[in-house]
Amino acid sequence: MTIPAIETNRLTKDYGDGRGCRDVTLTIEDGEAFGFLGPNGAGKSTIVKMLTGLIQPTSGKAQIFGYASGTIEARRRMGYLPELFRYPDWLTGDEVLAFHAKLCELDRVMAKRRIHQLLDEVGIGSRGRDRLKGYSKGMQQRLGLACALLGNPDIVFLDEPASALDPVGRHEVRELLARLRSQGKTIFLNSHLLEDVELLCDKVALLNNGKVLAEGRVSEVLRMQSNWRIRVNGYTPFALEKIKQLLGVNAVIQSGTAAVDESVWLEVELEDDEQISLVNYLLIELGLTIYEVGKTKSRLDEWFLQAVSGLEHRGERR
């Protein structure tokens, strides 16, 4: 039986002022990339701090590869990049990593080789010899990521790892994390950048006001909606109403902008993919000519917005 990389059971942290989290139960398998989403103040960082052993839960339990979170055995298996971190700006990037190498108990030869490798991988390179006071926020973020990976951990906890990076930097970090996943590393990613989670993660969970609202595989989440675009000729408002009537309230059709050839794009939201054949049949029966039919990929941000729509959030009041 394979031991999960992360397992929590009714994990709870009560700060006494409405903050924290309640009854969080998750299972993340070894080698999975897991995206943790939620509005500001949802409790995501609190959960990461409990998993890494930085704070103690009020109740419930968490295990890392079968070891209780916070124990030496659990910490040896993990790397961690917090959302807010600060290194002394009089140190060089090399010196920061050398200090962390000692904390990881790496021997000198291994540490030197590992530091050089990571500086290249995160995009710092020879600037590792520069003092941190000359680093941009993006450079400091890259250095923090290198520190998290220094001990070659089996699981990496990343709290907003690309928040200070430009689009090029985000792409590079995403590629690095994809390489880690391909090497069998487990990744726990807190991020507001839903595109990164969508492209990288296998599973996702949504947290709001300290409670998990929904979770599942990203592929399953993105299949929850079936959205299609159909370019037709001969469109009339009567055709629109007829299709709505025959398909029921679960289908919404909106006409797009007419093209030069007088064709029109119809945007169709269906319960499942199988309904598209019925839509095509109805359009032909109504005398419309179909030029193109294509599925519009569902986005994780749409799922996120629908899941939290109408709910109260602690937001910046945390």
Side-chain angles (χ1 to χ4, degrees), residues 145-157:
L145 182 58
C147 289
L149 300 175
L150 189 59
N152 195 24
D154 296 314
I155 181 170
V156 187
F157 291 94

PDB file of all heavy atoms in Angstrom, residues 145-157:
ATOM      1  N   LEU A 145      13.020  30.224  -4.133  1.00  0.00           N
ATOM      2  CA  LEU A 145      12.689  28.936  -4.726  1.00  0.00           C
ATOM      3  C   LEU A 145      13.900  28.011  -4.711  1.00  0.00           C
ATOM      4  O   LEU A 145      13.777  26.813  -4.419  1.00  0.00           O
ATOM      5  CB  LEU A 145      12.201  29.158  -6.160  1.00  0.00           C
ATOM      6  CG  LEU A 145      11.760  27.920  -6.941  1.00  0.00           C
ATOM      7  CD1 LEU A 145      10.633  27.193  -6.209  1.00  0.00           C
ATOM      8  CD2 LEU A 145      11.304  28.304  -8.343  1.00  0.00           C
ATOM      9  N   ALA A 146      15.080  28.556  -4.984  1.00  0.00           N
ATOM     10  CA  ALA A 146      16.304  27.751  -4.921  1.00  0.00           C
ATOM     11  C   ALA A 146      16.537  27.216  -3.512  1.00  0.00           C
ATOM     12  O   ALA A 146      16.927  26.052  -3.331  1.00  0.00           O
ATOM     13  CB  ALA A 146      17.499  28.584  -5.378  1.00  0.00           C
ATOM     14  N   CYS A 147      16.287  28.039  -2.511  1.00  0.00           N
ATOM     15  CA  CYS A 147      16.436  27.586  -1.118  1.00  0.00           C
ATOM     16  C   CYS A 147      15.481  26.438  -0.803  1.00  0.00           C
ATOM     17  O   CYS A 147      15.839  25.482  -0.103  1.00  0.00           O
ATOM     18  CB  CYS A 147      16.203  28.749  -0.156  1.00  0.00           C
ATOM     19  SG  CYS A 147      17.505  30.001  -0.149  1.00  0.00           S
ATOM     20  N   ALA A 148      14.257  26.531  -1.319  1.00  0.00           N
ATOM     21  CA  ALA A 148      13.265  25.484  -1.061  1.00  0.00           C
ATOM     22  C   ALA A 148      13.673  24.160  -1.691  1.00  0.00           C
ATOM     23  O   ALA A 148      13.325  23.087  -1.182  1.00  0.00           O
ATOM     24  CB  ALA A 148      11.900  25.928  -1.589  1.00  0.00           C
ATOM     25  N   LEU A 149      14.416  24.212  -2.799  1.00  0.00           N
ATOM     26  CA  LEU A 149      14.782  22.994  -3.524  1.00  0.00           C
ATOM     27  C   LEU A 149      16.167  22.474  -3.157  1.00  0.00           C
ATOM     28  O   LEU A 149      16.572  21.400  -3.628  1.00  0.00           O
ATOM     29  CB  LEU A 149      14.750  23.274  -5.035  1.00  0.00           C
ATOM     30  CG  LEU A 149      13.401  23.717  -5.609  1.00  0.00           C
ATOM     31  CD1 LEU A 149      13.551  24.067  -7.087  1.00  0.00           C
ATOM     32  CD2 LEU A 149      12.364  22.628  -5.422  1.00  0.00           C
ATOM     33  N   LEU A 150      16.878  23.191  -2.312  1.00  0.00           N
ATOM     34  CA  LEU A 150      18.289  22.893  -2.041  1.00  0.00           C
ATOM     35  C   LEU A 150      18.512  21.479  -1.520  1.00  0.00           C
ATOM     36  O   LEU A 150      19.439  20.786  -1.927  1.00  0.00           O
ATOM     37  CB  LEU A 150      18.838  23.917  -1.050  1.00  0.00           C
ATOM     38  CG  LEU A 150      20.344  23.901  -0.813  1.00  0.00           C
ATOM     39  CD1 LEU A 150      21.105  24.141  -2.114  1.00  0.00           C
ATOM     40  CD2 LEU A 150      20.721  24.958   0.221  1.00  0.00           C
ATOM     41  N   GLY A 151      17.663  21.017  -0.608  1.00  0.00           N
ATOM     42  CA  GLY A 151      17.851  19.701  -0.002  1.00  0.00           C
ATOM     43  C   GLY A 151      17.306  18.555  -0.834  1.00  0.00           C
ATOM     44  O   GLY A 151      17.193  17.430  -0.349  1.00  0.00           O
ATOM     45  N   ASN A 152      16.960  18.824  -2.114  1.00  0.00           N
ATOM     46  CA  ASN A 152      16.377  17.813  -3.003  1.00  0.00           C
ATOM     47  C   ASN A 152      15.178  17.130  -2.339  1.00  0.00           C
ATOM     48  O   ASN A 152      15.133  15.904  -2.213  1.00  0.00           O
ATOM     49  CB  ASN A 152      17.425  16.773  -3.392  1.00  0.00           C
ATOM     50  CG  ASN A 152      16.986  15.930  -4.575  1.00  0.00           C
ATOM     51  OD1 ASN A 152      16.156  16.356  -5.386  1.00  0.00           O
ATOM     52  ND2 ASN A 152      17.523  14.725  -4.670  1.00  0.00           N
ATOM     53  N   PRO A 153      14.174  17.921  -1.924  1.00  0.00           N
ATOM     54  CA  PRO A 153      13.061  17.363  -1.147  1.00  0.00           C
ATOM     55  C   PRO A 153      12.132  16.498  -1.990  1.00  0.00           C
ATOM     56  O   PRO A 153      12.055  16.650  -3.215  1.00  0.00           O
ATOM     57  CB  PRO A 153      12.336  18.619  -0.652  1.00  0.00           C
ATOM     58  CG  PRO A 153      12.621  19.642  -1.705  1.00  0.00           C
ATOM     59  CD  PRO A 153      14.018  19.369  -2.167  1.00  0.00           C
ATOM     60  N   ASP A 154      11.416  15.608  -1.324  1.00  0.00           N
ATOM     61  CA  ASP A 154      10.415  14.776  -1.998  1.00  0.00           C
ATOM     62  C   ASP A 154       9.120  15.541  -2.226  1.00  0.00           C
ATOM     63  O   ASP A 154       8.351  15.202  -3.128  1.00  0.00           O
ATOM     64  CB  ASP A 154      10.121  13.523  -1.160  1.00  0.00           C
ATOM     65  CG  ASP A 154      11.330  12.630  -1.031  1.00  0.00           C
ATOM     66  OD1 ASP A 154      11.986  12.377  -2.052  1.00  0.00           O
ATOM     67  OD2 ASP A 154      11.628  12.187   0.095  1.00  0.00           O
ATOM     68  N   ILE A 155       8.859  16.529  -1.372  1.00  0.00           N
ATOM     69  CA  ILE A 155       7.655  17.347  -1.499  1.00  0.00           C
ATOM     70  C   ILE A 155       8.035  18.810  -1.315  1.00  0.00           C
ATOM     71  O   ILE A 155       8.857  19.151  -0.455  1.00  0.00           O
ATOM     72  CB  ILE A 155       6.578  16.927  -0.482  1.00  0.00           C
ATOM     73  CG1 ILE A 155       5.319  17.773  -0.644  1.00  0.00           C
ATOM     74  CG2 ILE A 155       7.089  17.005   0.948  1.00  0.00           C
ATOM     75  CD1 ILE A 155       4.143  17.248   0.162  1.00  0.00           C
ATOM     76  N   VAL A 156       7.453  19.668  -2.166  1.00  0.00           N
ATOM     77  CA  VAL A 156       7.763  21.098  -2.117  1.00  0.00           C
ATOM     78  C   VAL A 156       6.478  21.870  -1.871  1.00  0.00           C
ATOM     79  O   VAL A 156       5.508  21.738  -2.626  1.00  0.00           O
ATOM     80  CB  VAL A 156       8.412  21.571  -3.435  1.00  0.00           C
ATOM     81  CG1 VAL A 156       8.874  23.021  -3.296  1.00  0.00           C
ATOM     82  CG2 VAL A 156       9.572  20.683  -3.829  1.00  0.00           C
ATOM     83  N   PHE A 157       6.472  22.679  -0.803  1.00  0.00           N
ATOM     84  CA  PHE A 157       5.347  23.560  -0.494  1.00  0.00           C
ATOM     85  C   PHE A 157       5.699  24.955  -0.999  1.00  0.00           C
ATOM     86  O   PHE A 157       6.700  25.545  -0.585  1.00  0.00           O
ATOM     87  CB  PHE A 157       5.094  23.618   1.017  1.00  0.00           C
ATOM     88  CG  PHE A 157       4.577  22.340   1.587  1.00  0.00           C
ATOM     89  CD1 PHE A 157       5.451  21.412   2.141  1.00  0.00           C
ATOM     90  CD2 PHE A 157       3.220  22.046   1.584  1.00  0.00           C
ATOM     91  CE1 PHE A 157       4.982  20.223   2.670  1.00  0.00           C
ATOM     92  CE2 PHE A 157       2.736  20.865   2.109  1.00  0.00           C
ATOM     93  CZ  PHE A 157       3.620  19.944   2.662  1.00  0.00           C
TER      94      PHE A 157
END
